[in-house]
Each structure stands twice: as structure tokens, then as C-alpha cells.
Amino acid sequence: MVVKVYGPHYASTKRVLVCLAEKGIEFETLPVDLIKGENRNPEFLELQPFGSVPVIQDGDYTLYESRAIIRYYAEKHKSQGTDLLGESIEERGRVEQWLEVEAQNYHPQIYNLTLHILFATALGFAPDEKLIRESEEKLAKVLDIYEERLSRSKYLAGDFFSLADLSHLPFTQYLVGPMKKEFMIRSRKHVSAWWDDISSRPSWKKVSLL
Amino acid sequence: MVVKVYGPHYASTKRVLVCLAEKGIEFETLPVDLIKGENRNPEFLELQPFGSVPVIQDGDYTLYESRAIIRYYAEKHKSQGTDLLGESIEERGRVEQWLEVEAQNYHPQIYNLTLHILFATALGFAPDEKLIRESEEKLAKVLDIYEERLSRSKYLAGDFFSLADLSHLPFTQYLVGPMKKEFMIRSRKHVSAWWDDISSRPSWKKVSLL
């Protein structure tokens, strides 16, 4: 069964696509143009009532929220492709902890930067310079904690690549690329080595080009 | 082994405590006073580098982030007490989806309301009335989607109580109690019935009094 993935051009959806690539799961993509408001069409809201991407359809099973989808496939096909959950329940707990850190501490700041630096003009509002400054300061503090963590283990949840690392890929690519804030990664030795490692994975090289 | 839980008086920690109560896991609580800044002490930052509660210690295993901790215990003791993850991988996917909706759509709004209505004065800043108004409007839209969902299933992830419902308890209690915004729940028939159901569980009656 080929998995249908809605909204492939957005960072949250790439979180799902890179997971499917790591697991060797075949997918097809269906574009959704957020700028044109296609996510507010009744047919789309039937799939995803909040009007967000991504959504997947796998036979008659529909699921949304990128971090829920990646957990679903990592568990459903645990022994296929890269194991992204750790070997024990304790390792999975650690994966969950760092997935939550990504969602609660890292993402809100990098999302503000993405929205206000990259997309404000296209979406028709003025970038909030104060919010940009504050978000960058908060993200720097989060990265200081990552630096300490990554001085003690190769990846966030331990010495294995997991959903926790993978979940950082799409928005961090915006940060080091179009946002021109690569210095935030490069000024931290262990974060920099971690970024080189995770962003050079074949799965990400494939998905980041979509 | 009795689980040590730091910061029992805060809503995020109660998410963990109600999960432990549902699973019949014994715990002891260790207070952390955020107003006094005890979460910035070096010993606490050693456990939780972001300075947030909750943290648990279970023998030599330390874990933080409330939604990671509840997943860990729900999986580790799957067949003990209430099953909070669903019976199949597809049901668990649904639980994860609504846990993410809680974390990404519901929580940011109810957290803003909690911070600015209940805690601004104690923390020494002026409540942001514009933010309060906007957060209430956004929360109302989220609750409209919950109302539609709960007209089709008894609980968020399906016809079984799960982590997704449980995760809403502590902050919604603030909303209907000290924030005096019970009308947001009561004006929606299915949300109201769902709230009566989940908030009358013995686990929550016990934990909400702590």
C-alpha cells in the first residue's frame, strides 16, 4: 500500500517524509497550497479539521499531526529500515523526552523565526522584529543545552539516531539555509557535528530536494 | 520501586500524577517552588536542564517532559491498571494524534490564559489583556472542533479513555475553576459531557486535591 502524504512542500510534512524514507515505506505526495488557502477547502477540512498539513492516508486509515504520524510508522514497521525508537522501553522514553523538547522548546522559537523571516511577506503581514530577536535569543539558550547534551552522547536520545533527531531536520534546514543563521549551529562544536551527521543521511538528502 | 515526582503542585506535573494513579503505580512527591526559583538551583538543573517541572526518578532512571513520562508509564505497564494507549497500533496512532492536538493546539492557548489570568501578579508582570482575548478566541475554535469530534466518539481517540483525554485534565481544571471560564466547556454539549466523565474519574479526584 502506497502512503498518500498531503502537503509535501512544507517543513512539518518533511518530518513525515524523511521518516518514511528511513523506514523504506513507499509514498506519493499530494500538494496543498497554504498560500492559496487550499487547506481551508471543505474536502481538506474533512481530513484535517484544524486546516494544517501534513495528513496521511494509508488505505482507509487517515492520520494527522506530524509527530503522531512518525511515531505510528516507527512503531508499525519497527524492524524495517532504521529503528527510530531505541531498543528498550527506557530508550524509547528518552526518545519521547527529546521529541517533546523539540516540540515544546525548540520548535516554537524556530517556527517564529521561519514565519517572520521567511514567510511574513508572502502571507501579507509585517515581520515582528522584536519577536524575531526574542525567539533567536531563546533558541540560542536551547541550543546551549543541546551542546551540553551532545557532548555526552552522539545523538539526542543516546548513541542511536532516532525520531528525536529526525524531527529537527526540516526547520533546522530553513535556519542554516534561507534564514542565513547557520552560525547558530556552527558556533557550537557538538551541535555542528550532530547537524553534519543527521543532515547528510541519504533519507534527508532525498526529501530535502522535494 | 516508588517513583519520585518533582513539582507536584503544578498542572504539568499533575498530568504525570493522574497517569500514575490510573496505572496503580506508587509515587512520592518532592515540592519545587517555581515562584522562589528553586527550579534554577544547580541540583535541579542537573535533573532538568531547562528548569521545568515535572521530572521523575525511578531508581536510576530520570525522565522529564510530562507527555514523555506518561507515554513511558503507559507503555511500561501496559496491562496494569487502565490501558491508556488503545488496543492496536492504529488506536495508538489516534491517541498520539490527539495528544499532539492537545500539545500543539489546545495547550498553547490555555497556557497563555493560565499564565496571564492566574499567575501574572504572583510572577510580577502585568497581564496582557490582548493576549488573553486572542487566546480565548483561539481556544474557542479548538473547542468547536472537539465538540464535533466528541459527537462521534465518547473520547478523543475513540470509544476508550486514553492519554489524550488525561492530558487535558490539569489545565482544563484551571479553566473551569479559578479562571471562571466554565462556560467555554458548558456551552458545548459533547465537550461538557466529556469533561464530566473524565474529571469524575477517581484518579483525578485524588490528584486534583494534591
Side-chain angles (χ1 to χ4, degrees):
Chain A
M1 185 83 68
V2 177
V3 179
K4 291 182 187 176
V5 184
Y6 289 80
H9 301 119
Y10 299 96
S12 301
T13 309
K14 291 193 175 176
R15 199 178 274 132
V16 170
L17 297 177
V18 68
C19 175
L20 295 175
E22 286 285 345
K23 302 303 286 180
I25 297 167
E26 236 186 303
F27 58 83
E28 61 175 300
T29 58
L30 295 92
V32 179
D33 191 329
L34 304 188
I35 305 284
K36 284 191 191 153
E38 290 176 357
N39 55 315
R40 310 304 312 176
N41 289 350
E43 311 84 65
F44 189 81
L45 291 173
E46 194 66 36
L47 292 176
Q48 214 297 5
F50 296 92
S52 308
V53 295
V55 184
I56 64 100
Q57 284 186 299
D58 192 340
D60 60 2
Y61 189 64
T62 302
L63 200 64
Y64 54 82
E65 282 294 335
S66 61
R67 297 177 193 83
I69 299 169
I70 64 179
R71 285 179 174 103
Y72 171 70
Y73 282 109
E75 185 166 347
K76 185 176 176 186
H77 300 287
K78 186 147 188 350
S79 57
Q80 176 183 319
T82 312
D83 179 2
L84 297 165
L85 292 173
E87 285 178 11
S88 63
I89 290 178
E90 280 64 37
E91 283 188 353
R92 174 151 189 181
R94 203 65 79 203
V95 172
E96 294 292 350
Q97 173 183 291
W98 285 99
L99 257 179
E100 286 293 326
V101 168
E102 185 273 324
Q104 301 289 332
N105 298 72
Y106 191 85
H107 184 74
Q109 312 311 330
I110 204 165
Y111 178 79
N112 284 343
L113 293 175
T114 303
L115 191 64
H116 286 266
I117 296 176
L118 297 185
F119 295 113
T121 309
L123 291 168
F125 62 87
D128 183 334
E129 297 298 339
K130 179 162 171 278
L131 184 68
I132 291 174
R133 214 165 41 243
E134 287 172 357
S135 299
E136 184 172 327
E137 284 169 14
K138 287 181 189 167
L139 186 63
K141 284 185 188 162
V142 172
L143 284 169
D144 286 342
I145 295 171
Y146 280 34
E147 177 67 5
E148 200 282 321
R149 169 64 188 168
L150 293 165
S151 74
R152 291 183 294 113
S153 62
K154 190 169 177 196
Y155 298 101
L156 287 170
D159 288 322
F160 57 102
F161 178 75
S162 77
L163 289 185
D165 307 294
L166 176 153
S167 196
H168 287 78
L169 281 163
F171 281 92
T172 309
Q173 187 77 62
Y174 278 153
L175 188 79
V176 303
M179 270 196 260
K180 299 188 171 43
K181 293 195 182 287
E182 190 172 359
F183 69 89
M184 295 187 76
I185 302 297
R186 296 304 172 205
S187 60
R188 293 169 174 89
K189 181 179 148 194
H190 296 97
V191 171
S192 183
W194 169 76
W195 175 249
D196 283 340
D197 182 293
I198 67 173
S199 63
S200 63
R201 293 182 74 86
S203 62
W204 181 242
K205 290 205 172 287
K206 176 182 160 190
V207 166
S208 61
L209 296 175
L210 286 180
Chain B
M1 184 86 64
V2 176
V3 179
K4 291 183 186 174
V5 184
Y6 289 80
H9 300 120
Y10 299 95
S12 302
T13 309
K14 290 192 176 175
R15 199 177 276 131
V16 169
L17 296 177
V18 67
C19 175
L20 295 175
E22 287 285 346
K23 303 303 285 180
I25 298 167
E26 233 185 305
F27 58 83
E28 61 175 300
T29 58
L30 294 91
V32 179
D33 191 328
L34 303 188
I35 306 283
K36 283 191 191 157
E38 290 176 356
N39 55 317
R40 309 304 312 176
N41 289 350
E43 311 83 66
F44 188 80
L45 290 173
E46 193 66 35
L47 291 176
Q48 214 295 5
F50 297 92
S52 308
V53 293
V55 183
I56 64 97
Q57 284 186 299
D58 192 340
D60 59 4
Y61 189 64
T62 302
L63 200 65
Y64 55 82
E65 282 294 335
S66 61
R67 297 177 193 86
I69 299 168
I70 63 179
R71 287 178 173 105
Y72 171 71
Y73 282 109
E75 185 167 347
K76 184 177 178 185
H77 300 286
K78 184 142 189 356
S79 57
Q80 176 183 319
T82 312
D83 179 3
L84 298 166
L85 292 173
E87 285 179 10
S88 62
I89 289 178
E90 279 64 38
E91 284 188 353
R92 174 150 188 183
R94 204 66 78 206
V95 173
E96 294 292 350
Q97 173 183 292
W98 286 99
L99 257 179
E100 286 293 326
V101 168
E102 185 273 324
Q104 300 290 332
N105 298 72
Y106 191 85
H107 183 75
Q109 313 310 332
I110 205 165
Y111 178 79
N112 283 342
L113 293 175
T114 303
L115 190 63
H116 285 265
I117 296 175
L118 297 184
F119 293 113
T121 310
L123 291 168
F125 62 88
D128 181 334
E129 296 299 339
K130 180 163 171 278
L131 185 69
I132 290 174
R133 212 164 45 243
E134 288 172 355
S135 300
E136 185 172 326
E137 283 168 15
K138 287 181 190 169
L139 186 63
K141 285 184 188 163
V142 172
L143 284 169
D144 286 341
I145 295 171
Y146 280 34
E147 177 66 6
E148 200 283 321
R149 170 64 189 167
L150 293 166
S151 73
R152 292 183 294 114
S153 64
K154 190 169 177 197
Y155 298 100
L156 288 170
D159 287 322
F160 59 101
F161 177 75
S162 76
L163 288 185
D165 307 294
L166 175 152
S167 195
H168 288 78
L169 281 163
F171 281 92
T172 310
Q173 188 76 63
Y174 279 152
L175 187 80
V176 304
M179 271 196 260
K180 299 188 172 40
K181 294 195 182 287
E182 189 171 1
F183 68 90
M184 295 188 76
I185 301 297
R186 295 303 171 206
S187 59
R188 294 170 174 89
K189 180 178 147 196
H190 296 98
V191 171
S192 183
W194 168 76
W195 175 250
D196 283 340
D197 182 294
I198 68 172
S199 64
S200 64
R201 293 182 73 88
S203 62
W204 181 243
K205 291 206 173 286
K206 176 182 159 191
V207 166
S208 61
L209 296 175
L210 287 180

